[in-house]
Amino acid sequence: MVKTEAVALVALGAGACWAAGGSQPSFAVGQGRAALAQRHVQPQGAVSASEASASSSPATSAVASVAVLAAVTAGAGRRFSAKKTQRGAFSTAKSDEIFNEAKGLMPGGVSSPVRAFKSVGGNPVVFDRVKGAYAWDVDGNKYIDYVGTWGPAIIGHADDTVLEALNKQMQKGTSFGAPCALENELAKMVIDAVPSVEMVRFCNSGTEACMGMIRLVRAYTKRDRVIKFEGCYHGHADAFLVQAGSGVATLGLPDSPGVPKGATAGTLCATYNDLASVEELLKENEVAAIILEPVVGNSGFIAPTKEFLQGLRDLSTKHGCLLVFDEVMTGFRISYGGAQEYFGVTPDITTMGKVIGGGLPVGAYGGRKDIMEMVAPAGPMYQAGTLSGNPLAMTAGIETLKRLKQPGSYEHLEKVTSRLIDGILEAGKAAGHDVCGGHISGMFGLFFCKGPVTAFHEATASDTKKFGRWHRMMLERGVYLAPSQYEAGFTGLCHTEEDVDYTLKMAKEVFALL
């Protein structure tokens, strides 16, 4: 970007992102709004060389830069408004080409199923790069990103502070397979933040954390059965891939070919937000643990009642089983201490991931010291990992948590997310659609049904075909949402009021066309 363009962008206060070391948003060069006004979609040829190589701030297209400069020249201080591009400007030809090739190389063309857009129709867009609150695909289309790599990008994609720290660490090595001081540093941050955690074990994913956790609760209690909830996801380990149906107290059946019945025989399923369904199971079975997402994000966004969580705490104590919060999604997202801090209910064990790796692969499980000392080599319960405590993941996690701990972080998430979801619901209802949803801090979701949705069986009333059309039409307008009715969305510290304004404007337009 030439100097005059940079000055123009600064003059407009283009694109806010939270500054390191400050509690208030500060404006950064290069996050222009002009691209928003142009539906966030630009032909690839409109992407400048400086944009493609930008590392200190989100990229801005050359077209947007020139338009902003012209706006400033015409009158400093006036709000810039550009005409929207023609609808035909949105093209995914290169994404289609890459995805079609991928289908012959990887099952379904992806490395994780939801990425294939099966539940919303059409081909997925293939990302080329990300920065701040934005993503660009291989065709040059720009999006406001409300997926954030499924949660980890809470301080913004490719954060400069994180990248700088990672670069320094890479000079020392990318993997040790031996203890490193960074593990101690991140462990202390997690222990200080999360009420239930007195000791922690790092691993490489949320699934791996939950695999270690279920083995641990069984080893500690000397009981085999666990209770999970219909619609709650705890990774793809055999014991958790259970189809609960809408019944209350049924033994689980395998939910995937390749999972033997014996692997799920000890998994009992209850209904979320229904204490009676849990108590009935506890009366009839010796249970090692009650395991749940304290805020559901894998059935869409479903919030618990405080009474439900406290009731689970009381039932666990009464029946001598452990209470486990799977905070892979909610940890350090809905508050610095997770859902357990937010609701004031402390489990015995917590699983974590996503945010604590700052965008790199990570997982962790932790809890009371007497329980965690069952884990090898302190105790007999075996779990290991070659890349566990990887120095790069530890570094990214440390820098991410430092940023989140700054004053005002969660207030910003709450403000942005409430405006976003409240505005979307208002626009949908005004256009005559049945919609419902909600949020907590930087996590949100909506359903295409009257609602309210308090459990998975109620979420299945959603009009998934309408959601698919909604998703595609928002995508065409430069808004990237989770490609499934049954996935939560996420905001981050780099999402601005202007991002929300643009999103709501497009939502109103799409609802009128659905």
Side-chain angles (χ1 to χ4, degrees):
M1 181 182 295
V2 296
K3 184 176 180 181
T4 52
E5 290 172 329
V7 171
L9 289 173
V10 172
L12 281 181
C17 187
W18 285 64
S23 62
Q24 298 295 328
S26 68
F27 292 97
V29 176
Q31 295 175 300
R33 297 296 100 188
L36 289 182
Q38 297 185 42
R39 285 198 186 148
H40 285 257
V41 291
Q42 300 288 353
Q44 188 176 24
V47 180
S48 68
S50 59
E51 178 184 355
S53 62
S55 60
S56 62
S57 62
T60 306
S61 71
V63 171
S65 301
V66 172
V68 172
L69 180 59
V72 174
T73 303
R78 290 193 303 181
R79 187 176 184 84
F80 174 71
S81 177
K83 293 181 180 179
K84 290 185 285 187
T85 57
Q86 297 300 313
R87 186 158 302 177
F90 183 76
S91 171
T92 59
K94 288 191 175 182
S95 284
D96 292 341
E97 180 183 349
I98 291 170
F99 181 64
N100 287 333
E101 179 188 37
K103 286 189 288 186
L105 303 171
M106 298 174 283
V110 292
S111 296
S112 189
V114 73
R115 300 177 192 177
F117 278 35
K118 286 281 189 180
S119 65
V120 293
N123 285 343
V125 293
V126 176
F127 278 12
D128 177 60
R129 57 196 171 87
V130 291
K131 189 71 177 176
Y134 311 112
W136 288 261
D137 68 22
V138 292
D139 291 278
N141 301 314
K142 180 182 179 182
Y143 307 91
I144 305 175
D145 179 16
Y146 292 111
V147 177
T149 71
W150 302 97
I154 191 168
I155 67 171
H157 289 295
D159 177 79
D160 293 336
T161 303
V162 174
L163 293 180
E164 182 180 358
L166 286 173
N167 184 51
K168 290 180 180 178
Q169 178 55 46
M170 282 191 290
Q171 309 312 311
K172 298 180 179 182
T174 61
S175 180
F176 294 159
C180 72
L182 293 167
E183 294 172 83
N184 290 18
E185 187 174 350
L186 184 57
K188 285 187 284 188
M189 296 177 81
V190 170
I191 290 167
D192 288 345
V194 184
S196 67
V197 178
E198 295 176 349
M199 298 186 82
V200 64
R201 166 59 63 87
F202 291 114
C203 49
N204 297 290
S205 70
T207 289
E208 193 177 330
C210 289
M211 290 171 67
M213 170 273 293
I214 194 171
R215 187 178 299 160
L216 175 59
V217 299
R218 287 169 168 165
Y220 182 81
T221 62
K222 297 180 173 60
R223 299 176 180 180
D224 291 338
R225 291 185 170 179
V226 297
I227 294 174
K228 72 174 289 289
F229 291 86
E230 178 188 12
C232 282
Y233 179 73
H234 307 290
H236 59 259
D238 285 358
F240 292 121
L241 287 181
V242 173
Q243 183 169 0
S246 58
V248 172
T250 57
L251 284 171
L253 297 175
D255 198 27
S256 171
V259 177
K261 291 182 179 180
T264 59
T267 305
L268 308 165
C269 292
T271 302
Y272 200 80
N273 274 322
D274 184 348
L275 282 174
S277 70
V278 181
E279 191 162 20
E280 190 66 27
L281 289 172
L282 289 170
K283 287 178 180 178
E284 298 176 358
N285 300 274
E286 283 200 335
V287 172
I290 300 170
I291 304 165
L292 75 156
E293 292 179 83
V295 178
V296 181
N298 289 285
S299 298
F301 176 88
I302 303 175
T305 64
K306 169 68 182 291
E307 293 72 24
F308 175 62
L309 295 183
Q310 185 59 56
L312 294 178
R313 176 66 277 172
D314 296 341
L315 286 171
S316 298
T317 303
K318 177 181 177 181
H319 290 272
C321 64
L322 300 177
L323 179 62
V324 179
F325 279 6
D326 180 350
E327 298 226 42
V328 169
M329 191 173 289
T330 58
F332 294 92
R333 172 159 285 281
I334 68 172
S335 76
Y336 192 70
Q340 55 199 267
E341 179 186 62
Y342 183 89
F343 289 102
V345 177
T346 304
D348 300 295
I349 298 175
T350 301
T351 59
M352 293 161 281
K354 297 187 185 293
V355 169
I356 65 166
L360 273 70
V362 77
Y365 58 100
R368 293 193 339 240
K369 186 175 182 179
D370 64 307
I371 301 173
M372 292 301 295
E373 285 182 334
M374 288 288 296
V375 180
M381 195 287 289
Y382 190 77
Q383 179 265 316
T386 299
L387 294 174
S388 295
N390 177 273
L392 295 184
M394 299 296 99
T395 296
I398 290 164
E399 295 302 324
T400 297
L401 298 195
K402 284 180 181 177
R403 181 74 64 83
L404 288 173
K405 200 171 183 179
Q406 292 176 5
S409 294
Y410 292 93
E411 290 80 0
H412 176 79
L413 291 173
E414 172 64 28
K415 181 180 179 181
V416 168
T417 315
S418 61
R419 275 202 64 227
L420 175 70
I421 189 62
D422 291 348
I424 288 174
L425 294 176
E426 181 181 347
K429 291 173 182 177
H433 299 284
D434 288 334
V435 289
C436 66
H439 83 287
I440 299 176
S441 188
M443 182 176 174
F444 69 92
L446 80 154
F447 298 96
F448 278 83
C449 61
K450 289 183 178 179
V453 173
T454 63
F456 178 67
H457 68 275
E458 295 169 347
T460 60
S462 296
D463 187 337
T464 55
K465 291 184 178 179
K466 181 179 284 188
F467 177 85
R469 297 196 301 274
W470 148 268
H471 181 273
R472 192 69 193 184
M473 294 168 76
M474 291 295 284
L475 188 75
E476 291 172 353
R477 289 159 175 78
V479 179
Y480 190 81
L481 299 162
S484 170
Q485 173 69 95
Y486 301 117
E487 296 284 356
F490 305 102
T491 56
L493 298 185
C494 279
H495 284 103
T496 69
E497 295 291 331
E498 290 174 289
D499 293 330
V500 174
D501 289 342
Y502 177 84
T503 303
L504 295 181
K505 181 179 180 181
M506 295 302 102
K508 185 175 182 179
E509 181 178 303
V510 169
F511 276 128
L513 296 172
L514 275 180

